[in-house]
Amino acid sequence: MAKPHSYKFCFGPWNLSEGADPYGPPTRPVQSFDWKLDQLREHGFEAMMFHDDDAVPDIDSKSSAQLVKEAKSLSKRLKDAGVAAEMVAPRLWFSPHTIDGAYTNNDPKCRKYAIERSLRCIDIARAMDTDLIVLWLAREGTYIRESKDARRCVDYLVEAMDKMLGYDKKIRLAIEPKPNEPMDHAYLPTIGHALAVAQLTRDPKRVGCLIESAHALLAGLDPADEIDFAMAFDKLWSLHLNDQNGMKFDQDKPFGSNNLRIAFNQVRTLERTGYGRHGEYVCFDVHPFRPTQPNHWMDHLVNSRQTFLRLLEKARSFDDKQAQALVKDRNYQALDQLVIEHLLGK
Ligand code: XUL
Ligand code: MN
């Protein structure tokens, strides 16, 4: 195992959400951005992640010059607070132009909108001193199989990424795969799909990925294996740790909330592969449970960070030598119990 290093933590303004779901209204009042920034600093987080319109609201009604001006002013506020902007992600799922997809929309005018919007997102990222653009491809997929040509959609995805890579020679694209929700089936459901598409772009070195634990679980995969796979390509550029109870809606539960062992194995893999050594952040894409009262609003983030740090101790104190001996002896029954006893505190 490599020499221990310390991790840097991050979350986004949307992770202090107000509790609205498809069945009911918010359960907490809206808080200001400054309040969120103060909370972030007070609780041991070093960076904030942004959607383009978290950084600059009402993007589509503003000129490029205005967007850059507002992004620069936000960047100054962050710098004054000693907080980095980790990434900017184009929100390609709200506009009337992205109702049936953004880059893979059947309508060329809508695809054009999605690319233009992504270039504005790059302008914002540049003004905020980050080279990382995250692509969660929310509506790139289908509700019914017959509605789009999946073969052609691969070309559309590559074309959009090529436009972004050509627009700015320094930016890096991190694809955040998710197999479903809001779509029935998404076109890039796993890290394997994301890294395969990266190879088709004009600059594969600048197209990597972001793994979200819940998204991997929704694809029926172990997030630790997804991490190892991405690290084998040196392409894990960001991470959304959280948890998920089975194959249902995307729950964004606190890290480790549902399955401590799956969480332990993610931390162990991050340690083993050296994630974070090149400045990558550990981000928590978690939401408060809807019944959460305003005075407990930060707890899901504080707890996720705490659980991560506790599991880091567990990863560092795991008896690897004994584990290796058991592997050699093919005694997986004893190895299984070794992990369980370790997690239980023996
Ligand atoms: C959606 C999701 C997003 C992305 C950023 O499931 O995880 O919040 O992380 O667009
Ligand atoms: Mn996410």
Side-chain angles (χ1 to χ4, degrees):
M1 209 175 268
K3 206 166 152 270
H5 69 291
S6 55
Y7 290 85
K8 295 185 297 179
F9 300 100
C10 169
F11 66 83
W14 68 91
N15 298 120
L16 290 168
S17 50
E18 289 88 35
D21 71 13
Y23 306 97
T27 54
R28 294 174 292 277
V30 176
Q31 286 287 2
S32 69
F33 178 78
D34 285 338
W35 181 84
K36 294 181 180 182
L37 188 57
D38 286 347
Q39 296 296 314
L40 181 136
R41 289 171 62 208
E42 275 168 31
H43 290 93
F45 292 80
E46 284 95 345
M48 197 178 257
M49 51 184 178
F50 292 90
H51 292 110
D52 50 4
D53 58 1
D54 294 324
V56 183
D58 302 321
I59 291 191
D60 293 340
S61 68
K62 290 175 183 162
S63 69
S64 293
Q66 182 65 22
L67 296 181
V68 170
K69 191 171 155 222
E70 290 185 35
K72 281 199 168 142
S73 126
L74 172 62
S75 179
K76 182 168 179 334
R77 262 159 92 191
L78 293 175
K79 278 192 184 132
D80 290 347
V83 171
E86 192 242 359
M87 62 83 163
V88 186
R91 195 189 297 277
L92 294 170
W93 53 93
F94 254 63
S95 155
H97 300 290
T98 59
I99 288 172
D100 193 19
Y103 308 137
T104 63
N105 198 300
N106 286 322
D107 179 345
K109 285 197 290 301
C110 294
R111 295 201 297 275
K112 188 160 180 274
Y113 163 84
I115 291 175
E116 290 292 324
R117 169 83 181 230
S118 306
L119 302 187
R120 299 292 75 75
C121 174
I122 293 172
D123 294 340
I124 291 172
R126 212 158 26 189
M128 291 174 68
D129 279 333
T130 174
D131 65 349
L132 193 63
I133 305 293
V134 167
L135 300 178
W136 171 48
L137 301 172
R139 298 196 191 278
E140 316 302 1
T142 49
Y143 299 99
I144 58 167
R145 179 60 60 249
E146 299 82 2
S147 65
K148 288 185 189 173
D149 178 337
R151 168 65 191 87
R152 200 182 303 148
C153 285
V154 175
D155 292 342
Y156 290 154
L157 289 170
V158 172
E159 186 189 325
M161 288 183 220
D162 279 350
K163 289 260 165 59
M164 289 183 251
L165 295 166
Y167 181 71
D168 185 313
K169 294 286 188 279
K170 293 219 174 76
I171 52 123
R172 293 174 300 147
L173 305 176
I175 300 171
E176 179 179 352
K178 179 177 176 181
N180 61 286
E181 200 204 37
M183 309 311 287
D184 178 28
H185 285 285
Y187 284 139
L188 300 185
T190 69
I191 291 302
H193 290 82
L195 297 188
V197 153
Q199 291 307 117
L200 296 180
T201 65
R202 63 191 282 166
D203 195 356
K205 284 191 310 303
R206 291 194 288 137
V207 185
C209 64
L210 180 163
I211 289 170
E212 173 160 329
S213 327
H215 297 178
L217 291 165
L218 283 168
L221 298 172
D222 187 311
D225 284 351
E226 288 282 84
I227 291 171
D228 271 328
F229 189 80
M231 290 302 282
F233 291 79
D234 283 330
K235 286 215 169 176
L236 186 58
W237 298 338
S238 186
L239 186 65
H240 286 180
L241 295 182
N242 57 15
D243 214 347
Q244 172 73 25
N245 185 13
M247 305 291 202
K248 48 184 88 165
F249 64 95
D250 185 9
Q251 295 180 302
D252 293 336
K253 293 178 112 177
F255 183 54
S257 162
N258 194 65
N259 190 322
L260 267 187
R261 186 170 179 173
I262 288 181
F264 166 70
N265 279 315
Q266 287 171 79
V267 176
R268 193 159 174 252
T269 299
L270 295 172
E271 268 291 276
R272 205 161 43 182
T273 55
Y275 179 82
R277 285 177 187 275
H278 304 295
E280 305 89 353
Y281 289 88
V282 171
C283 310
F284 296 107
D285 198 355
V286 292
H287 285 271
F289 299 122
R290 189 166 188 262
T292 302
Q293 313 256 23
N295 54 331
H296 299 138
W297 209 329
M298 270 297 289
D299 293 3
H300 62 305
L301 286 155
V302 171
N303 293 346
S304 292
R305 182 177 174 278
Q306 172 74 7
T307 304
F308 180 93
L309 292 171
R310 292 289 304 277
L311 288 172
L312 188 57
E313 286 166 20
K314 288 285 175 191
R316 287 178 176 168
S317 60
F318 185 64
D319 192 341
D320 269 311
K321 231 171 154 183
Q322 196 182 347
Q324 280 317 309
L326 294 171
V327 168
K328 206 164 167 209
D329 190 30
R330 233 171 58 199
N331 189 348
Y332 297 159
Q333 201 60 66
L335 178 60
D336 192 40
Q337 195 62 17
L338 180 73
V339 175
I340 291 170
E341 296 289 351
H342 186 63
L343 288 178
L344 287 174
K346 234 186 170 186

